[in-house]
């Protein structure tokens, strides 16, 4: 199995975007035309999907992956293909096992693994990965069998669901998941138009979820809402108040009916929605709007009272000791006298001062967390 850290260049923390310039032009992101299934090596990838038994929607996602990872070329590309081989040799520590193909295969151990799976020698001359038929088998077999991250495309696109957004985890977590999901929908329509054969998954097999629902599917919805910046609670599979608030906000932003019900339209929107941008909000605004922040301010005030009380008591005790020892006695002598003669009071004062510091720190960190939540559009129900 190829780990997410070393399986493909796309798997190493989003490196594919920096190395392969895989961002699409703005015009293409808005209106991608996936109807030309004869473009470059697209027919080869489709034939390989058919041969290996990929369903239509699995094939659509595989095509979307190749389209993204090859920068729209639909031909095998080499990592940093716009630079020279000398540059790759000097700058890529895994050279000559750098990224190649429709989905970037990197590191020698992964070339060895893919070669064993395909019964091919990919190590004597690693450039053979650039051959379209071999690259297509790596792309399709790797996606179906989970070579790249341990996740298989069938985990997300099967007879019960078609989750184009989370299918990105087969290659690289959720990096650019929404953009690639949108491409997959376009490829799916194109494949349906040419009668791609194969057992088709249910278009939207998830159940309708309502308030107080429980289960794994609720946890999936919470995870998607959290990834998009709407949900900040614990992923517990319970459709509670925080989940409801997050869903309502998501529905409002997506122009859906704000009924707090997760039906087919919500599930479809969760696949393609982009994360919310950071809000501009000040600490003063959060202190006014958030009940938790108001409680934190009260906590700080209680701490201040404890601190003032403890300090005042300690000063008064030192004053009493000053009268006993005489005005000329040093501060250290007065403090020693206070500790010796009134140690229970001194201990109480120390506890008050410690409580002041602890409550101040608790209030401050709580308010900062609520500020962060607000900037990330997370729930402020408390």
């Amino acid at each position: 199995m190829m780990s997410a850290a070393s399986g493909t260049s796309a798997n190493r923390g989003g490196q594919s975007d920096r190395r392969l310039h895989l961002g699409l032009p703005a015009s293409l992101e808005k209106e991608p035309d996936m109807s030309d299934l004869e473009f470059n090596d697209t027919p080869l990838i489709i034939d390989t999907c058919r041969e290996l038994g990929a369903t239509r929607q699995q094939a659509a996602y595989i095509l979307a992956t190749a389209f993204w990872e090859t920068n729209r070329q639909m031909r095998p590309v080499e990592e940093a293909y716009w630079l020279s081989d000398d540059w790759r040799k000097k700058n890529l520590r895994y050279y000559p096992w750098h990224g190649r193909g429709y989905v970037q295969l990197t590191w020698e151990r992964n070339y060895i693994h893919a070669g064993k799976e395909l019964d091919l020698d990919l190590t004597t001359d690693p450039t053979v990965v650039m051959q379209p038929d071999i690259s297509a088998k790596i792309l399709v077999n790797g996606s179906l069998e989970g070579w790249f991250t341990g996740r298989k495309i069938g985990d997300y696109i099967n007879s019960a669901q078609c989750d184009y957004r989370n299918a990105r985890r087969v290659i690289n977590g959720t990096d650019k998941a929404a953009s690639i999901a949108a491409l997959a929908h376009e490829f799916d329509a194109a494949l349906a138009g040419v009668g791609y054969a194969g057992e088709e998954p249910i278009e939207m097999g998830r159940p309708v979820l309502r308030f107080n629902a429980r289960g794994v599917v609720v946890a999936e919805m919470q995870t998607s809402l959290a990834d998009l910046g709407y949900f900040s609670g614990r992923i517990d599979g319970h459709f509670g108040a925080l989940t409801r608030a997050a869903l309502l906000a998501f529905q409002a932003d997506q122009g859906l009916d704000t009924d707090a019900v997760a039906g087919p339209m919500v599930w479809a929107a969760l696949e393609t929605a982009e994360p919310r941008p950071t809000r501009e909000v000040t600490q003063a605004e959060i202190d006014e709007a958030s009940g938790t922040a108001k409680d934190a301010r009260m906590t700080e005030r209680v701490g201040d009272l404890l601190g003032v009380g403890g300090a005042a008591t300690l000063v008064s005790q030192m004053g009493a000791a000053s009268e006993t020892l005489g005005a000329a006695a040093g501060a250290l002598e007065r403090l020693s006298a206070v500790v010796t003669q009134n140690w229970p009071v001194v201990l109480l004062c120390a506890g008050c001062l410690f409580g002041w510091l602890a409550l101040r720190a608790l209030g401050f960190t709580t308010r900062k967390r609520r500020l962060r939540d607000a900037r990330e559009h997370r729930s402020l129900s408390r």
Side-chain angles (χ1 to χ4, degrees):
M1 182 181 72
M2 302 180 188
S3 69
S6 60
T8 66
S9 67
N11 294 335
R12 295 191 306 280
Q15 294 294 323
S16 62
D17 289 329
R18 291 190 289 274
R19 292 176 178 170
L20 288 175
H21 298 308
L22 297 181
L24 301 178
S27 60
L28 190 56
E29 285 185 344
K30 293 177 181 177
E31 297 181 342
D33 180 10
M34 305 294 102
S35 61
D36 185 5
L37 297 182
E38 298 298 322
F39 177 67
N40 287 345
D41 295 343
T42 304
L44 171 63
I45 298 173
I46 294 174
D47 289 343
T48 306
C49 286
R50 282 198 180 103
E51 177 186 342
L52 295 175
T55 67
R56 191 190 78 214
Q57 289 162 311
Q58 289 173 346
Y61 195 82
I62 290 170
L63 287 170
T65 295
F67 187 88
W68 188 270
E69 297 291 335
T70 64
N71 195 19
R72 313 184 312 279
Q73 297 183 58
M74 296 304 273
R75 284 176 174 162
V77 297
E78 197 168 6
E79 185 171 354
Y81 62 84
W82 64 95
L83 297 174
S84 68
D85 197 56
D86 285 339
W87 182 93
R88 283 187 284 273
K89 188 173 184 179
K90 292 177 182 177
N91 291 277
L92 301 179
R93 60 193 179 96
Y94 40 84
Y95 180 92
W97 315 106
H98 53 274
R100 296 181 177 92
Y102 298 114
V103 60
Q104 299 290 285
L105 186 68
T106 54
W107 298 96
E108 181 181 16
R109 59 182 172 275
N110 295 323
Y111 276 75
I112 294 172
H113 176 86
K116 288 181 178 178
E117 293 290 338
L118 298 177
D119 194 23
L120 295 170
D121 179 8
L122 303 182
T123 55
T124 301
D125 178 12
T127 63
V128 299
V129 171
M130 293 291 289
Q131 296 179 16
D133 58 334
I134 294 177
S135 184
K137 290 177 181 178
I138 292 173
L139 166 68
V140 180
N141 276 287
S143 297
L144 292 173
E145 298 174 9
W147 295 359
F148 308 122
T149 64
R151 306 288 184 89
K152 302 176 182 179
I153 199 167
D155 294 340
Y156 306 100
I157 305 173
N158 51 52
S159 61
Q161 65 176 345
C162 182
D163 187 354
Y164 282 146
R165 182 182 181 87
N166 280 301
R168 180 60 175 165
R169 299 180 190 276
V170 173
I171 304 297
N172 182 18
T174 57
D175 177 60
K176 306 300 181 183
S179 297
I180 301 172
L183 295 173
H185 281 291
E186 297 289 337
F187 272 117
D188 184 35
L191 290 172
V194 298
Y196 183 95
E199 179 185 354
E200 303 303 335
I202 298 172
E203 181 63 28
M204 193 54 62
R206 293 188 182 88
V208 175
L209 300 179
R210 291 180 171 83
F211 186 69
N212 273 335
R214 294 178 182 271
V216 174
V217 182
V218 176
E220 290 179 9
M221 181 181 69
Q222 290 174 326
T223 299
S224 294
L225 289 170
D227 288 343
L228 293 171
Y230 288 89
F231 182 65
S232 59
R234 186 166 60 92
I235 308 298
D236 57 5
H238 176 220
F239 194 153
L242 283 177
T243 305
R244 183 178 185 275
L247 179 57
L248 284 170
F250 176 75
Q251 288 177 317
D253 286 353
Q254 298 301 312
L256 303 174
D257 291 339
T258 52
D259 55 6
V261 176
M265 296 298 292
V266 167
W267 287 114
L270 286 172
E271 289 185 15
T272 57
E274 294 287 351
R276 290 173 118 184
T278 301
R279 278 174 52 196
E280 290 297 330
V281 64
T282 66
Q283 185 70 65
E285 290 171 333
I286 296 310
D287 289 343
E288 181 63 27
S290 168
T292 301
K294 291 178 181 178
D295 292 345
R297 290 292 296 274
M298 183 60 67
T299 299
E300 291 179 357
R301 294 189 182 101
V302 171
D304 291 341
L305 289 175
L306 281 175
V308 169
T313 302
L314 185 61
V315 169
S316 66
Q317 291 298 318
M318 290 188 67
S322 174
E323 295 177 359
T324 302
L325 296 175
L332 184 60
E333 292 176 335
R334 293 199 299 274
L335 181 60
S336 177
V338 170
V339 173
T340 302
Q341 299 173 13
N342 303 284
W343 65 266
V345 177
V346 173
L347 189 61
L348 177 62
C349 293
C352 288
L353 292 174
F354 178 79
W356 167 63
L357 291 173
L359 293 175
R360 262 279 163 184
L362 176 62
F364 177 80
T365 55
T366 300
R367 291 169 56 224
K368 290 300 180 185
R369 281 198 300 269
R370 298 314 270 162
L371 176 62
R372 178 205 63 194
D373 291 343
R375 287 177 173 170
E376 296 177 359
H377 299 270
R378 299 180 187 274
S379 173
L380 289 179
S381 61
R382 274 298 295 157

